[in-house]
Structures are given as C-alpha cells and as structure tokens.
Amino acid sequence: MPDTLNPAFLALPSSGHQETAADAAFRAELHAFAREHCPPDIRALVAAGGKITRKTYARWQQILHARGWSAPNWPVEHGGTGWNLRQRTIFEEVMADNDCPPLYHHGLGHIGPVIMHFGTPEQKSHFLPRILDTTDWWCQGYSEPGAGSDLASLQTPAVRDGDDYVINGQKIWTSHAHEANRIYLLTRTTRGERKQDGISLFLIDMDTPGISVRPIRTIDGWHHVNEVFLDDVRVPAARLLGEEGKGWACAKYLLERERLPAASVATLMRQWRQVARLLETCRALEPLRDYSTLDADLLTQAARIKGAREMLASATGAMLRKEPLDARPSALKLACSAVAQSLSRIALLAVGPTGSRQFLPESATAMASSSGLAVQNYLYARSKTIAGGTTEVQLNVVARSLFGV
C-alpha cells in the first residue's frame, strides 16, 4: 500500500482541534478496553463488513453497560456516562478503529433522548433503564407510503376512546421492526392550519394486538426494513409522549440529533480501512493489475473523510458553546452519504466481475468472502442518500440556510 494510503493517515488529530493530555489518556483507556473486552468474533464480523443483527448489537452493548459506557450520549442522572461531545467523538473513533460495533441508534440515540426531554417521570423511569440494558429494542414508525421525505403529511389516525387511543394505518421502511419489541410511532390526532399541527407520538409495544410486520426485501438481499400495519391497535393514553398534537416538536428534536451522530465519521473511517485492506488483498492476488486509479480514488475519499471530521468538529464546538447548528447536520449528512457510496464503489471495482458475481446470504459470517460482502455493501449503500433524509431534502435545508430561500 502506498504510504499516502496508510490507515494511520485517518487517525491524525484534526487540524485546529489538537487533543489535550486528558483526551489522549482517555483515548488510550478506550483502546485498551476495546482490545480486551470486545469479543474476537464480533470484531471479525464488523471488520469484514458483515450484517450486524440485534443479537450482536445487544451482546456488545451489555459489555459496555457492565462498564458504565452503554450510553455515551446520555447524562449521568439517566444512567449515561456524562461525557461531553468531544469525549463522545473520541469514543466513537476508538471503537470504530478497533472494529467494535456501533451502538444501536434507535434506543440510545433517538427515542431515549426524546423521552428524557418530553417524557413524564413515569415514562423516564420505565423506559430509559430498559434501553440501557437492552431489554427494549426500538424501531421508528415515521414514514408512510405517502409521507416519506415530506413527513408532516403523515395520515395514520389515532382516535381517543376513553383511556386509550385507537390507531389504524400503515408505516413503511421501518428499519429493524422484525427485531424490535417496541416502536415509537407518529400519528395524526387532530388537524390544524399547518400540516405539522395535530401530530402525536406514541410509545407502543410491538406485541400489541393488531400490529403486524411484513418484510421488505431490498436489492442487497438482506432484511433491513419492513412494512408495519396497525389494525384497531389500542394504546393506553399514558403511552402518549409529550402533549397531544405536539408530536412534531418531538420529531424535530429527534431528527436534529439523528443527522449529527458522533459515529457518522468514525464509521466512514472504519469503512475506509476495510476498503484499503480489500485493495491490498486484491493486489496480492492480481499483482499485474493496475490499481493506481483506485488508489487515487481511495486517497480522495480519505481527504473527504478528513473534511467531514472537520465539519463534525465544528458542529461539536458549536453545540458545546450552545450555538445554533443551522445547516451543519444536513451538510454532514450529505458529505457522509456521498463518501459511503464512493467507498462501496471502490470495493466493488476492486473485486471485479468475478467477485461481483458472488452474492451472500444474510447469514454470512465474518469468514465469508470479501468479494461477496463488497457486493452487498455496494447495494446497501444505495440507500445512504435516501434514509435519514434524502439528498434533495438536505440540499434544500442547506440552501435555505445559505440563501434564505
């Protein structure tokens, strides 16, 4: 591998954000923990780019929970670490560097903070500990067949009936619904002048009568997303999160955090290293092949990752100073999505036509061929510019921030 493509290039501190001695000691502590406590089979699966399921996510989170690190983004009073944003970024980078799984986002990164902010004392005491110890596994019931990027157009009605709400409707593209035991669900309880008015958020058990889940098979052949159908589902009023009709505030609060996760850049750094290793494997198998174009492309992606890291550092600094983030989350989402797709393309070109004919089952292990996983990851990466907010939506957010349009 040329010196310019050495993975250590990505580990250099960001310019203008040099780490303190305390940061360096913290980083060293995290490295030692990851090497000692993350099981080798989990690290091998992650290093190979294999599919991570609830079983693997939960196993690693339980190890972190025993150390008190299962919620890096939570305050101490709710069972979190109390780390600041810079410490959380270091944590994500070190875990990615050691091929540890990312933390499952729906509970820890999404609904957990929303419950902290909008929930009743009873909701906090019941749900938050169950997220930390992996008793509860959440999925997100937001998108509908007619309300994806334009989420405020959702129609699923929730009608008050005594002490319950009765919900009928359909959600789509629901990631991990087949593994989850709870869903946080946006519904329409009333209609107002704006379509954002009258939306309410509920916390619902997936085994509630009337809920059914149907898998959606995506082009990568693996099971990620689902349709969720609700047929006269009765939900106690105590499971309403926040005020009735004010659920859009909850949704916005969640989405702002969804698009600025500390793990976003760290995940790209790990993916870059995976592709670099794959290139070296291919180079050893076909030493006469010219890899100069792929090497140059990989180096370009390294530079783009460094740029994304600077963007994340800027946003982190703004959050620490309690300044508005403006379009930073959308800009970072755009950058990370593009790099993820580019890296998957480099991997696919590296394995070539022979490798591209391999297609692995969802049960593929860490010992599965790198060529087959390159195909899966390339196809899965097509969703990066759609999931979590389409590229077009993010560009509109950036344009409005820059030009006021």
Side-chain angles (χ1 to χ4, degrees):
M1 179 184 295
D3 290 341
T4 51
L5 294 184
N6 192 297
F9 172 76
L10 289 177
L12 296 174
S14 298
S15 59
H17 299 282
Q18 296 297 323
E19 290 184 356
T20 65
D23 289 337
F26 180 58
R27 187 180 289 273
E29 179 187 6
L30 293 170
H31 271 295
F33 179 87
R35 286 192 292 267
E36 181 178 353
H37 294 285
C38 190
D41 61 310
I42 291 181
R43 295 177 67 183
L45 174 67
V46 174
K51 180 171 173 54
I52 306 174
T53 63
R54 173 178 178 173
K55 182 179 179 180
T56 302
Y57 277 124
R59 186 174 158 208
W60 174 231
Q61 186 177 323
Q62 288 162 3
I63 293 170
L64 290 171
H65 186 55
R67 179 65 175 79
W69 288 351
S70 62
N73 58 318
W74 287 19
V76 173
E77 59 265 32
H78 292 302
T81 61
W83 292 339
N84 63 35
L85 290 167
R86 193 146 293 136
Q87 288 173 305
R88 285 157 49 187
T89 299
I90 293 172
F91 172 83
E92 297 290 356
E93 290 182 350
V94 171
M95 294 302 118
D97 192 40
N98 286 279
D99 294 319
C100 302
L103 293 177
Y104 183 67
H105 55 286
H106 277 305
L108 294 168
H110 292 183
I111 194 60
V114 177
I115 292 173
M116 290 178 211
H117 191 77
F118 295 96
T120 65
E122 293 76 18
Q123 289 171 338
K124 294 175 187 178
S125 63
H126 179 75
F127 290 112
L128 296 179
R130 296 169 66 89
I131 293 173
L132 292 175
D133 67 11
T134 73
T135 298
D136 283 347
W137 214 249
W138 289 86
C139 61
Q140 181 186 86
Y142 275 23
S143 295
E144 297 178 6
S149 297
D150 183 15
L151 183 59
S153 295
L154 66 90
Q155 299 297 320
T156 297
V159 179
R160 186 69 182 256
D161 181 22
D163 293 332
D164 296 336
Y165 286 84
V166 179
I167 303 175
N168 286 276
Q170 177 188 358
K171 297 293 178 176
I172 199 167
W173 310 121
T174 312
S175 301
H176 309 285
H178 57 296
E179 297 181 307
N181 66 307
R182 298 196 192 274
I183 183 171
Y184 49 101
L185 188 86
L186 282 180
T187 68
R188 185 163 296 282
T189 45
T190 59
R191 296 190 180 276
E193 293 183 5
R194 301 185 314 141
K195 58 186 177 182
Q196 291 86 354
D197 298 334
I199 291 173
S200 299
L201 182 62
F202 290 91
L203 309 174
I204 305 175
D205 299 342
M206 288 293 287
D207 61 0
T208 303
I211 294 181
S212 58
V213 177
R214 182 185 301 168
I216 299 174
R217 293 291 177 175
T218 47
I219 58 172
D220 61 351
W222 289 358
H223 185 185
H224 309 283
V225 294
N226 308 270
E227 296 175 283
V228 177
F229 297 90
L230 303 106
D231 184 14
D232 288 334
V233 174
R234 299 190 72 88
V235 180
R239 292 296 185 88
L240 172 69
L241 184 59
E243 297 180 50
E244 180 182 305
K246 303 294 184 182
W248 190 248
C250 299
K252 284 184 61 179
Y253 188 86
L254 186 152
L255 290 171
E256 288 169 357
R257 283 145 187 80
E258 178 182 3
R259 290 169 186 164
L260 193 64
S264 56
V265 177
T267 299
L268 289 180
M269 294 166 70
R270 178 174 59 216
Q271 186 181 356
W272 190 94
R273 287 189 292 270
Q274 290 170 344
V275 177
R277 289 194 294 264
L278 177 61
L279 271 177
E280 287 308 291
T281 299
C282 294
R283 206 186 312 270
L285 294 173
E286 298 183 87
L288 299 181
R289 181 180 171 188
D290 182 4
Y291 287 89
S292 58
T293 299
L294 295 180
D295 286 341
D297 199 352
L298 189 61
L299 182 58
T300 298
Q301 302 315 314
R304 294 172 73 186
I305 293 172
K306 295 286 278 188
R309 194 166 186 245
E310 290 294 336
M311 293 169 63
L312 179 61
S314 173
T316 298
M319 292 183 73
L320 288 171
R321 296 188 297 272
K322 301 187 183 305
E323 297 173 356
L325 290 178
D326 300 319
R328 287 185 180 94
S330 291
L332 184 63
K333 166 68 165 62
L334 286 166
C336 291
S337 298
V339 173
Q341 290 187 341
S342 295
L343 288 172
S344 70
R345 175 180 48 77
I346 294 170
L348 191 67
L349 291 173
V351 302
T354 301
S356 298
R357 285 195 292 270
Q358 301 183 45
F359 204 71
L360 299 177
E362 186 170 342
S363 59
T365 68
M367 301 307 293
S369 78
S370 297
S371 297
L373 288 171
V375 177
Q376 251 79 25
N377 287 321
Y378 173 82
L379 293 172
Y380 175 70
R382 300 311 94 198
S383 70
K384 293 291 186 179
T385 49
I386 300 173
T390 66
T391 289
E392 292 77 12
V393 169
Q394 306 310 319
L395 288 171
N396 285 338
V397 172
V398 173
R400 284 195 296 269
S401 177
L402 293 176
F403 308 114
V405 297

